[in-house]
Amino acid sequence: MLKHRGFPGRLPGTDFQFIIRRPNPKGVTPITRRERFRDRRPADRRADAGFMQALWDCFGDQPFERGNLDAGRLSWLFGREVIAAEDPFDPESYDALLVIDVDAAQLSFPEVFDGSAR
């Protein structure tokens, strides 16, 4: 499992986790598409925006390996702002390649891309 050095471990000041420390001994947690409903808590929305900001800062529009990125946090963005970069895609692999769909991410998280140098 690739460890993304320099990637924030969590949203500052919260317990919203962005990375995992070690592989799950019971098996890899699959990435699935989770629905984001309008009535989500503001803290959850901040966590999504913070995670997208961290992804954009670290990877930009280039494909990246799932590695030690938290499957639960990825699942909130998967299928919309973060998509599979390979076909066939294995949602239960730490080696799976993902990429940010920049157009979708800009619509969902405009604050991440405002004044961005990329």
Side-chain angles (χ1 to χ4, degrees), residues 46-100:
R46 281 192 305 274
D48 291 342
F51 189 61
M52 176 53 67
Q53 180 72 59
L55 289 172
W56 182 248
D57 290 345
C58 285
F59 309 116
D61 60 356
Q62 299 302 306
F64 58 92
E65 194 171 312
R66 172 187 173 178
N68 68 332
L69 298 176
D70 183 63
R73 187 57 45 204
L74 274 171
S75 291
W76 287 111
L77 305 177
F78 186 70
R80 290 175 293 268
E81 297 85 11
V82 175
I83 56 175
E86 60 188 354
D87 188 32
F89 176 74
D90 182 3
E92 295 185 22
S93 172
Y94 289 123
D95 299 325
L97 290 179
L98 302 163
V99 67
I100 295 174

Side-chain angles (χ1 to χ4, degrees), residues 12 23 43 70 88 106-107:
D70 183 63
Q106 286 177 331
L107 289 174

Side-chain angles (χ1 to χ4, degrees), residues 1 11 15 21 24 28 36 42 51 56 60 65-66 68 72 84 90 107-108 113 117:
M1 174 178 75
L11 182 65
D15 285 333
R21 293 183 182 174
N24 186 344
V28 180
R36 294 192 313 245
F51 189 61
W56 182 248
E65 194 171 312
R66 172 187 173 178
N68 68 332
D90 182 3
L107 289 174
S108 298
F113 299 92

Side-chain angles (χ1 to χ4, degrees), residues 8-21:
R10 62 186 63 245
L11 182 65
T14 71
D15 285 333
F16 288 108
Q17 180 175 313
F18 289 174
I19 60 171
I20 58 175
R21 293 183 182 174

